[in-house]
């Protein structure tokens, strides 16, 4: 996120917060003018990332804003946690790979659903995932 962008922050500490994250992002996506299809893609990605933040990161936060860059606008969500981090981020992005009971589609699916995806992690230093969807 850059200086000057109005952003909202939401803790991710419970299943209720995952629901709140989805609602907030859907509302901002509507306000920013994303199509219904792109709203659905972004909300799906946010749902996966919020759940990962809670389950694998032990909780954290989501910051969300409507950036304007190079004549376009969109919605950006940043998830951060202080959890164990990932030893092999590329493996975590592989479909079918999971550390839990899920289908292993969370990170890879979120990456495919977003226009921009960024993953920052290291063992012992938590995880930050940024997704952006631009208005078409």
């Amino acid at each position: 996120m850059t200086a000057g962008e109005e952003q909202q922050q939401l803790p991710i500490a419970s299943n209720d917060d995952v629901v709140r994250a989805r609602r907030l992002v859907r509302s901002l996506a509507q306000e920013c003018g994303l199509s219904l299809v792109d709203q659905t893609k972004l909300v799906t990605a946010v749902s996966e990332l919020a759940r990962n933040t809670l389950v694998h990161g032990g909780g954290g936060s989501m910051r969300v804003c409507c950036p304007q860059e190079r004549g376009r606008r969109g919605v950006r969500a940043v998830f951060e946690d202080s959890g164990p981090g990932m030893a092999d981020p590329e493996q975590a992005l592989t479909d079918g790979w999971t550390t839990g009971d899920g289908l292993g589609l969370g990170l890879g699916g979120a990456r495919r659903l977003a226009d921009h995806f960024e993953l920052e992690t290291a063992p012992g230093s938590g995880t930050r995932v940024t997704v952006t969807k631009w208005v078409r």
Side-chain angles (χ1 to χ4, degrees), residues 71-128:
R72 61 185 180 171
R73 54 187 229 165
V75 178
R76 178 173 294 141
V78 180
F79 295 85
E80 293 182 276
D81 67 60
S82 299
M86 296 177 217
D88 189 348
E90 285 306 313
Q91 183 180 34
L93 287 163
T94 303
D95 285 346
W97 187 84
T98 180
T99 59
D101 297 327
L103 298 174
L105 299 174
L107 281 177
R111 178 170 62 177
R112 283 190 304 279
L113 292 168
D115 294 328
H116 172 80
F117 178 93
E118 187 176 335
L119 171 64
E120 301 170 60
T121 187
S125 59
T127 301
R128 177 186 306 152

Side-chain angles (χ1 to χ4, degrees), residues 2-15:
T2 60
E5 290 178 4
E6 185 178 328
Q7 56 184 300
Q8 297 180 50
Q9 185 162 334
L10 180 71
I12 306 292
S14 70
N15 287 326

